[in-house]
Amino acid sequence: MSPVAAGGAPAKAKVTTATLRGMKAAGQRITALTAYDHLFAGLLDRAGVDVILVGDSVATVVQGHDTTVPVTMDQMVYHCELVGRAARRALVVGDLPFLSYQVGIEDALRNAGRLLKEGRAEAVKLEGGAAYAATVQRLVDAGIPVMGHLGLTPQSIHQFGSYQARGQEPLEQQRIRDDAQSLQQAGAFALVLEKVPAALGATIAAELTIPVIGIGAGPKVDGQILVTHDLLGLFTAFKPRFARRYLELASLVGKAVADYCADVQNGAFPNQNESY
Ligand code: KIV
């Protein structure tokens, strides 16, 4: 008999890396979103998202930095732990921040291990291709599932110089395809592909047996990921073309706060029912 969740509906099975592989094989699209705290992680999990990424985008979305570079390993462990305690069904993936895996393989292993051991993540994500294949293999050998990240890799912003789409020229397209193969061979269980032409996204998804989760990589990949604060219209500093807004939450919050201030100022809050 299948387990029953509160409310009487059958509980959905826990998502694992094997679930994601099975979804690709069955042609079922994977849903993924970011979360950085317990409240949002619970909302996403209960709404049925398959993968929750504790992204290093926390640096720009929550901490107010211009890039993802400053977020530290300790901060990522902290945010993963908040999310890890809330997620029941979704697979929780923790982002390895800048310089937590680039310095050396042993360093990468220690830091990835912290995301699982202290942060309750079930997998880690790192940016980069063939240059990190040995690192990916070492983590996988140690029992740490790894998600790759190719295309626009925001930790390299100072090398790229802009957040422009990647893979626009044949040479770079071939390099990204080769990198994707290297990551798959090294044992990565999935790949995030960011801001590349839709045709390249489709090609890479067709060439790989592991799921390719796109963000600005067109519709013909195996799943989609967005930054939740973009989807909700909560982060408005800039809006990438690929980020569809399903709500305008920043405006709603602004209006609610202005209404509250007005009610306090004119004596309408609290009323009798809100008093003791
Ligand atoms: O950090 C992040 O949120 C990400 C996604 C944009 C894929 O890496």
Side-chain angles (χ1 to χ4, degrees):
M1 206 167 80
S2 63
V4 173
K12 286 189 175 170
K14 175 83 185 89
V15 178
T16 64
T17 57
T19 313
L20 301 183
R21 257 198 315 277
M23 288 176 77
K24 171 158 181 150
Q28 291 168 8
R29 292 201 175 93
I30 296 162
T31 57
L33 284 171
T34 58
Y36 318 110
D37 62 55
H38 191 270
L39 181 90
F40 267 93
L43 290 170
L44 303 185
D45 193 60
R46 290 190 292 279
V49 73
D50 299 313
V51 177
I52 298 179
L53 171 69
V54 187
D56 61 356
S57 51
V58 68
T60 50
V61 172
V62 172
Q63 297 179 331
H65 294 294
D66 290 338
T67 74
T68 58
V69 170
V71 64
T72 67
M73 192 59 219
D74 284 344
Q75 290 165 347
M76 290 307 300
V77 170
Y78 169 76
H79 287 285
C80 276
E81 202 272 335
L82 302 183
V83 169
R85 272 191 289 112
R88 299 274 178 272
R89 174 182 172 270
L91 180 79
V92 176
V93 180
D95 233 349
L96 281 166
F98 181 61
L99 278 202
S100 67
Y101 59 95
Q102 289 93 339
V103 176
I105 291 181
E106 294 312 303
D107 226 25
L109 181 56
R110 201 169 299 111
N111 286 323
R114 284 192 68 195
L115 288 184
L116 267 65
K117 215 172 156 74
E118 299 170 48
R120 304 173 69 123
E122 296 158 318
V124 301
K125 177 168 82 57
L126 57 80
E127 298 180 7
Y132 293 99
T135 304
V136 171
Q137 195 162 357
R138 180 74 179 99
L139 300 190
V140 172
D141 286 348
I144 301 174
V146 180
M147 176 181 268
H149 185 155
L150 294 175
L152 176 66
T153 47
Q155 290 178 13
S156 306
I157 178 60
H158 297 305
Q159 196 168 28
F160 291 148
S162 83
Y163 289 105
Q164 259 183 303
R166 311 301 306 175
Q168 313 222 55
E169 305 299 330
L171 217 64
E172 198 189 4
Q173 287 175 2
Q174 190 55 53
R175 192 181 51 69
I176 296 172
R177 287 168 67 187
D178 292 345
D179 279 342
Q181 291 291 345
S182 296
L183 291 173
Q184 175 170 279
Q185 269 163 30
F189 72 91
L191 189 66
V192 164
L193 191 56
E194 180 163 354
K195 214 169 179 187
V196 297
L200 181 61
T203 301
I204 292 175
E207 285 175 345
L208 297 191
T209 56
I210 60 173
V212 174
I213 301 179
I215 173 162
K220 293 196 171 158
V221 287
D222 306 303
Q224 299 291 333
I225 183 162
L226 281 179
V227 170
T228 298
H229 293 58
D230 286 339
L231 173 150
L232 297 177
L234 202 47
F235 180 74
T236 54
F238 61 88
K239 184 195 170 300
R241 176 165 140 194
F242 58 70
R244 186 183 294 180
R245 276 194 194 155
Y246 287 79
L247 267 182
E248 293 294 343
L249 212 46
S251 316
L252 292 174
V253 169
K255 181 175 179 331
V257 172
D259 288 351
Y260 163 76
C261 291
D263 283 352
V264 170
Q265 285 156 356
N266 65 27
F269 176 82
N271 62 24
Q272 228 174 3
N273 289 337
E274 291 153 343
S275 305
Y276 298 90

